[in-house]
Every structure is written in C-alpha cells, then in structure tokens.
Amino acid sequence: MAKMAASLVESGEDAFRKIFKFYKRRNPPPDFSAVIDFSKGLPSDKIVPAILDPSAVSDVEAARVGLQSVRDWRAFSLQGYPGFIFISNPFLLGSQPFWVRQCLKTYSQKPNVCNLDMHMSPSDTQDIWQKSVHSLSSPHSGKRKTKTLLDRLRWVTLGYHYNWDTKMYSANHYTPFPADLHLLSTQITAACGFQDFNAEAGILNFYLSDSSLGIHVDESELDHSRPLLSFSFGQSAIFLLGGLRRQDPPIAMYMHSGDIMVMSGQSRLLYHAVPRIISAPQGCTALEMEGCSLASPQQDCSVVEAVSEEDWAVCSRYIQSSRVNVTVRQVLGPGQSFPDTPSAHQRTDVGQTVGYQDRAADGESKKRKRSSSCDPVGTAET
C-alpha cells in the first residue's frame, strides 16, 4: 500500500482517489493485506495505545449505555494523525443489539428526517419500521421482490438537521436529539479527554453491500474544536483516512461492528472515505451471534434494554448484508449561535457522496452529492 501510494504521488496523480478506486474494485478483488485491523492488535510502528481517562466515566455510568469499563477498552492512535482515536468495540456483550434497534426502529421515526422524505409524503414515511417489519421478519428464499422502506433507507438526520443542498445547519431546522445517544456520546468523549461535549447533530448512513462513501471532509459545523464521533454496526467496512489536502494518500483500516472512531484536533478536518463494505462469510457477524443471547439490563437505571425476539429477527435480517454508521457532532461552540447569513466556511464538503448503486430507483441520483456521515456533512459513516 505504501509503495502504491508513493508511486501515485510521484506521478502527480490524486493518490487518495486512486487508492479509493483500488479498494472499491470488484474484479479482480483488491489485496487487503495492508489494511489495519485493530481488532487483531498486531504490532505496528504506526499504531500506538491511546491515552484514556478511566476516572472520567465510572463503571456504572459506562454500563448504563452498554459499555465496558473504560480501563478495559482497547483504544489506539496512529502516528502522524494527531487527534485520531480508534476504540475497538468497547460494548458489553449483548448491548449492541439495542443500539442497532434504535438506529433502525426508533431514530428512523418522525420528527427525524430521512432520504425518503425527499420524494414521499409525510404519511408514507410516518412509521418506516412498522411498514417494513412484516416483510423483513418473514422467511424468504433468495432476494425479496419488493424493497421495504427500511431497505430503501439511506440516511437519517437527528437534532440540527443537515441540509444536503446548502451543506449547512440552521436554528429553525431542529428536533430534540435522542437522549440515549447523547449520553452514549458524552461517555465516549469524556473518556477520551473531552469534557462538556454536547451532541447536537447526528447523521445515520445505511450501507448496502455495494455502497460506498466518497472522499470528503467534515467542516459544516460552526465549531471544529469539538470531536466528531463515528459508530459502526453490522457488516464491516474499509475506512480511508487521508490528510489535510485531498490528494494526500490515505491509510486504510477496517471498521467492524461496535468500533468507534473519535476525530479531534487536526484529524477533525482530515479527508476520509469508505470505499467498500466487507460482508462476513455467509453473512454471519459476531453481532448476529450476540443477538442470540441478549443481555438483560444490568441495573434499573440502564439506558440499554433487552431487545425482543421479534425486533431482533428484523434487525438481524437487515444487518446480514448491511451496515449502519452513526456520526455525532457538536455544531455550536459555547456561547455561539447561528449567523444571520451563511458564513464562508459553511461550504460544501468536497467530493462527499454515499455511492449507492440503486439510488436511481429511489429517485435520488444526483441529489446526494453531499457530505455524509462517516460522514456526510462534512458528514460522517464516520
């Protein structure tokens, strides 16, 4: 990978774009040997342990949102990428299914906004889960002939709703941010040394097996001093982390279900992308196995609830071939407010687009040249 990137730079070509296309390639399939896999903990001169603050989050507080004790987290940083922290699945066994259900069943509900609102009436998108559950929970052989609304879901916005056309947030397009996701985000950021983080906006990206997220940078928030969080659930993905310039060659890493990335400081404005979803053998993931032994809440005040067998049947069927990415960001700094007119830095997040090959069928082809979550908004399937 390093040799390939060097040769591209020397030839004056866009190294990031070339490497993106390399990993996106289907035939012949790319060589994944250079992709960093934090779950394996293999030694590397680029990977160093990240310093966390276990005293910032008690074991009880962590367990409330389904997290292990901070002292047990496997967190890493990368040499040359200051502010980037990768946490390899810190969730307690049996808690991920709750967050998957929240993404698919709860966060897709109104008043939150989704891509289907662009070309369907509010009544048609009122309860995406309920209108999809029968088809997704019914036994079937092969592919379903008719896509459910959940199958057609591509993105959902929370809190301050990102405007894909203007690439901005605004004070008058806001709905309450989910309290459970807010608490999860503040526990993660506190452990990483960021106190008083305020989760104000979220973008959920839903990836099919042939989806990708284009090269982009997350800069639409008015305050870049606060970190951006990215949660991954379901199938694994290749994540590319580049530099401050779009042409800088990126480093490749796997994002598995339960993994969390924190982008802060200089890495907050680095270019990144997701060129490929990596399906597990026979579609089976560790997360699906977790669902077979769902954990009961460990304490009365726990945010995480046991997921019913009926709900998990739908979630499990969905993630057999799909990935959900949740990015959370703070939009405004302390005492900051939205300007009356758009500021110069609230411009488009360059080159960012989630490439779903069936977008045309959903009537959204050209509309989604947007930033996305890893991040659209300068978004993030961070």
Side-chain angles (χ1 to χ4, degrees), residues 36-343:
I36 295 173
D37 192 341
F38 291 100
S39 68
K40 298 187 183 306
L42 299 177
S44 168
D45 57 355
K46 289 195 70 70
I47 302 173
V48 295
I51 299 175
L52 303 178
D53 182 5
S55 65
V57 182
S58 70
D59 291 355
V60 172
E61 290 173 324
R64 280 191 67 197
V65 292
L67 295 171
Q68 303 171 28
S69 169
V70 175
R71 65 179 62 89
D72 295 327
W73 294 5
R74 298 176 63 250
F76 308 92
S77 296
L78 290 172
Q79 294 282 9
Y81 297 86
F84 177 80
I85 300 175
F86 191 105
I87 307 171
S88 182
N89 186 12
F91 288 95
L92 291 166
L93 182 66
S95 64
Q96 274 195 72
F98 167 79
W99 291 108
V100 172
R101 188 200 65 182
Q102 292 300 91
C103 291
L104 297 178
K105 182 178 182 178
T106 305
Y107 301 153
S108 62
Q109 299 272 21
K110 294 289 170 281
N112 298 329
V113 180
C114 71
N115 62 292
L116 300 176
D117 296 323
M118 304 298 104
H119 53 90
M120 296 177 68
S121 68
S123 61
D124 289 334
T125 61
Q126 184 59 41
D127 195 335
I128 292 173
W129 173 273
Q130 198 57 44
K131 291 175 179 176
S132 305
V133 66
H134 176 72
S135 177
L136 283 170
S137 58
S138 300
H140 66 280
S141 57
K143 293 185 178 180
R144 290 182 299 276
K145 292 183 178 179
T146 304
K147 288 187 176 183
T148 66
L149 292 181
L150 203 55
D151 290 323
R152 298 168 61 192
L153 198 60
R154 295 295 175 266
W155 54 262
V156 169
T157 55
L158 312 171
Y160 286 115
H161 297 283
Y162 182 70
N163 185 310
W164 302 110
D165 294 324
T166 65
K167 314 299 182 190
M168 295 189 298
Y169 301 97
S170 63
N172 60 5
H173 197 192
Y174 173 86
T175 56
F177 192 91
D180 52 6
L181 185 56
H182 188 285
L183 183 58
L184 174 64
S185 301
T186 55
Q187 305 289 40
I188 296 291
T189 51
C192 292
F194 300 97
Q195 303 300 326
D196 304 320
F197 174 81
N198 186 21
E200 295 178 314
I203 298 176
L204 283 67
N205 278 351
F206 301 85
Y207 292 75
L208 305 181
S209 59
D210 59 356
S211 300
S212 61
L213 177 68
I215 305 167
H216 67 280
V217 62
D218 295 286
E219 60 181 3
S220 291
E221 295 71 35
L222 274 69
D223 182 10
H224 298 153
S225 68
R226 302 305 167 108
L228 179 145
L229 282 72
S230 176
F231 300 88
S232 187
F233 299 109
Q235 297 297 312
S236 299
I238 299 291
F239 179 80
L240 300 179
L241 181 65
L244 292 171
R245 300 178 305 166
R246 192 183 187 282
Q247 65 268 32
D248 291 339
I251 187 170
M253 64 196 79
Y254 287 106
M255 284 195 73
H256 299 304
S257 190
D259 289 346
I260 301 171
M261 292 192 306
V262 179
M263 299 177 70
S264 67
Q266 179 177 311
S267 78
R268 178 65 177 78
L269 296 175
L270 296 184
Y271 281 90
H272 51 282
V274 177
R276 192 185 192 96
I277 304 302
I278 307 291
S279 297
Q282 290 81 47
C284 183
T285 65
L287 173 55
E288 289 174 76
M289 300 304 293
E290 269 192 47
C292 299
S293 55
L294 298 178
S296 299
Q298 298 186 1
Q299 47 189 323
D300 293 339
C301 60
S302 178
V303 168
V304 175
E305 307 168 341
V307 177
S308 69
E309 290 184 10
E310 294 78 12
D311 282 358
W312 184 244
V314 177
C315 293
S316 180
R317 179 71 58 79
Y318 182 86
I319 63 171
Q320 282 177 6
S321 59
S322 303
R323 172 179 181 255
V324 181
N325 178 254
V326 184
T327 55
V328 177
R329 62 285 305 288
Q330 180 169 335
V331 178
L332 301 170
Q336 197 172 22
S337 59
F338 289 101
D340 294 332
T341 56
S343 58

